[in-house]
Amino acid sequence: MARALYSSQLQLGICKVNPDASPCMLLLHIHALMTPTQAVRWTVADIELLPDDGRHYEIIDGELFVTRAPHWKHQNVTIKIGTALTIWSNESGLGEAAINPGLVFSEADSVIPDVVWASHERLATMLDDAGHLIAAPELVIEVLSPGEKNERRDRESKLKLYSTYGVLEYWIADHQLRKLEVYRRDRAILKLAVTLYAEDELTSPVLPGFRAIVKQFF
């Protein structure tokens, strides 16, 4: 996903523009109470107080990440993957794909993946009244953005998160290197199964009959 900025500095910057807004008063109060060794543990309820400013707010194990509007190529790859999954889903009738859905695993784990795919069976039980997913879809895809912090989040923090909550397959798309890393569930843990490059064919046991040449995503 797009470049992540740790929340406190960014949100305090936003609040300097409009310090009287209720969410900003709360954030400034929290910051004032913090000591150098303390860290705020964020929840879904806290996210709901933040401004609706077009940014993506995600929390992983209570840590808040704020993502800016992604690069054009990032969005382009997201759309191509989502479109390929939607076409296959319409033909197979087995499920649905979505771009940037809200995925709320717990009060301290709420993310916005680039693409997900879920079977109709799972969708029937995993949507809340707000239309957010509250359980793991079969497949999650993240499009990698450059930068050590972004790579660490997608390859470590989100990999652990999706593994913990039961995602069956996780793809990390790298548009700069034109490759796709495929993680599959093995003994209750998501492990790297294969790395595919531009001319390789992608198939998946989660998506019976689905086939795509990797370069079509990039």
Side-chain angles (χ1 to χ4, degrees):
M1 295 186 68
R3 181 175 298 174
L5 299 174
Y6 189 67
S7 60
S8 60
Q9 293 178 345
L10 178 59
Q11 292 308 313
L12 287 169
I14 293 171
C15 289
K16 288 178 182 178
V17 178
N18 186 17
D20 294 327
S22 295
C24 288
M25 292 176 66
L26 173 62
L27 287 166
L28 290 167
H29 178 65
I30 291 173
H31 183 78
L33 292 176
M34 289 173 61
T35 70
T37 59
Q38 289 178 319
V40 176
R41 185 170 176 82
W42 295 82
T43 69
V44 173
D46 297 325
I47 296 293
E48 293 174 353
L49 295 174
L50 295 175
D52 185 7
D53 55 7
R55 293 179 174 89
H56 285 174
Y57 297 97
E58 299 181 295
I59 48 176
I60 302 175
D61 192 24
E63 181 177 354
L64 177 65
F65 295 90
V66 181
T67 58
R68 294 174 174 172
H71 189 281
W72 169 273
K73 186 62 177 177
H74 180 117
Q75 288 290 70
N76 186 257
V77 172
T78 297
I79 291 171
K80 287 180 178 179
I81 294 175
T83 299
L85 289 172
T86 295
I87 291 172
W88 174 82
S89 296
N90 290 340
E91 292 174 349
S92 67
L94 294 178
E96 297 179 27
I99 293 175
N100 297 144
L103 181 48
V104 182
F105 288 123
S106 72
E107 282 299 305
D109 291 305
S110 176
V111 292
I112 307 174
D114 288 310
V115 186
V116 305
W117 183 87
S119 65
H120 291 306
E121 289 77 11
R122 287 205 181 192
L123 279 174
T125 61
M126 63 190 297
L127 285 174
D128 66 12
D129 292 338
H132 299 140
L133 300 173
I134 56 173
E138 282 90 341
L139 172 64
V140 175
I141 302 103
E142 297 285 4
V143 179
L144 198 64
S145 289
E148 181 181 350
K149 186 175 291 186
N150 297 312
E151 291 193 18
R152 187 168 62 250
R153 185 189 64 246
D154 287 346
R155 289 201 170 104
E156 295 178 15
S157 299
K158 285 194 171 181
L159 174 61
K160 180 180 178 181
L161 178 73
Y162 297 145
S163 185
T164 298
Y165 284 100
V167 171
L168 299 182
E169 193 160 303
Y170 177 38
W171 302 350
I172 298 178
D174 187 334
H175 64 82
Q176 291 189 313
L177 297 180
R178 292 165 60 85
K179 71 176 184 179
L180 189 76
E181 297 173 5
V182 178
Y183 296 80
R184 293 189 175 126
R185 202 160 194 82
D186 179 12
R187 298 180 183 178
I189 299 174
L190 286 172
K191 297 180 180 180
L192 182 63
V194 63
T195 299
L196 302 173
Y197 294 88
E199 300 298 328
D200 294 329
E201 184 179 62
L202 170 66
T203 60
S204 170
V206 173
L207 310 170
F210 176 85
R211 295 180 179 276
I213 302 301
V214 170
K215 66 181 179 182
Q216 79 181 62
F217 300 144
F218 304 117

